[in-house]
Amino acid sequence: MRAIAHVECQGNFDIINAYDRGRVSIGVCHWALMTTGIGEYAALLAYYAHIDPEAYQRDFGRYGILPEKPWDPATWTADGAGAQAKYAGRLAFYGLRDGTGRLHPAEPLPLGAKKVEDIADAYLIDYLRGWHALHRLAMGLRTNESMWRLMWTFTLFRLRALLARPFHSGPAAGPGPVVPDGAGGQRVATFGEVFTSERAVTALLRWHVNRPGRVLDSNGAVNDALAAFQTVYGTGRVNLAALTQAQQDAAQVALAQDMIDRAPTDSNYRDSVRNAVTYVDAEVGALRSTARSFQLIPEAPMWPRSARLSAVYPLSNGRR
C-alpha cells in the first residue's frame, strides 16, 4: 500500500486531483467522484460515515454532503464495481431535482447517473471541486486522523477482495491455475495464490487502482492480468503447488516484470507501475520478489504497528 501511495499520492494523505474526468480524487487509491457522479469517492465517504459518524458530520455532513445509503460492501457496487472487486456509488444532497424537474428540499436525492445528460443538477458535481469544497476537503485530510485510518482500512478492503477472487470462473479441470482444495482434489486458484510476492502484488494493485477493467471482471482475470499470467505460465492447466520454490520465485519475478512491460507508456503509466514495484522505503527497504513474501494479515489493525506488514505501512500526514 505504501508503494502504491508513492505513485498515487506522493506518500501523503492530502493530495487531491481535480483536473480530469475523475472530477475529484483523493487518497492512496485516488478514489474518484467521476463525471457521472458514480464512483469510489462516494463509497469511501459512506464508509467514513459508518465508522466515525461524528467526524464525518464535521468534515462533510454539515455541508449537506451525504452518502446515498448506509455503508454495506454488498450494496456499494454501482456501475459494475462489484465485478471488479471495488466499491462505488453516489453522494446525495438536499434540494436536488428529480427526473421530472420537481425540487426536493426536505429529502436527499442521489446525485449521479450513467449518462451525465440524465443528471438534472449535474453542475453540482463540479461544485465539489470548487475552491470552497477543496479547501474543506484538504483541511480534513491534513488534520483528521479518522480520515487517515479510513484510507488504510478501505485500501485493505480493496486488496482483500481482489486477492480473494478466483482467477477464472471455469472448472478446475480446465486451463488456468489450480491449487489443492484440502479434500484431495483441486480448485481454481485465487488472484492471491497467483500473485504472491510483494512486488507482484504491488504491480497487480497498481493496475487495479488505475485500470481495473484490464485486470478482472465477474468471470475472473481478463486482458492484461490474464495475458501476464499466460506469458509466465502458458495457456494450459498449471498446478501451482507442484512448482519448486525456485520455479515459484522465478515466476513471481517474471509476473511483476511483465505487468510493468505491458503497461502503456501514455501518461507515464508504465513508469508509475515500475516506480511502485521498485519503491524502497527508508526504514523497511525494498519490496521482496520471492514467492509468498506478501502476507496480508487476516484481520489487519486499523493502523499499522509493526515495522513490516509486508507492503503495508503508514503514510505521511502531509503536514508542511
Side-chain angles (χ1 to χ4, degrees), residues 80-157:
Q84 295 180 348
K86 59 180 188 175
Y87 308 100
R90 300 174 293 181
L91 295 175
F93 298 85
Y94 289 95
L96 297 185
R97 293 172 292 162
D98 60 25
T100 68
R102 177 171 167 251
L103 192 67
H104 291 257
E107 61 178 328
L109 293 184
L111 178 65
K114 288 188 175 182
K115 295 181 179 180
V116 175
E117 55 267 29
D118 293 335
I119 307 173
D121 297 292
Y123 72 94
L124 286 175
I125 294 175
D126 275 337
Y127 166 77
L128 291 174
R129 64 174 184 162
W131 285 112
H132 289 89
L134 290 184
H135 173 73
R136 292 194 292 262
L137 177 59
M139 292 309 297
L141 292 171
R142 289 175 178 173
T143 63
N144 193 336
E145 187 173 340
S146 288
M147 293 198 73
W148 310 341
R149 294 175 181 271
L150 164 80
M151 292 182 188
W152 164 258
T153 53
F154 207 64
T155 305
L156 282 179
F157 285 165

Side-chain angles (χ1 to χ4, degrees), residues 6 19 85 98 115 139 194 213 222-223 272:
H6 174 65
Y19 64 86
D98 60 25
K115 295 181 179 180
M139 292 309 297
V194 172
V222 296
N223 299 320
S272 77

Side-chain angles (χ1 to χ4, degrees), residues 199-210:
R199 287 196 168 201
V201 171
T202 297
L204 178 68
L205 182 59
R206 177 69 188 116
W207 272 88
H208 188 251
V209 166
N210 192 261

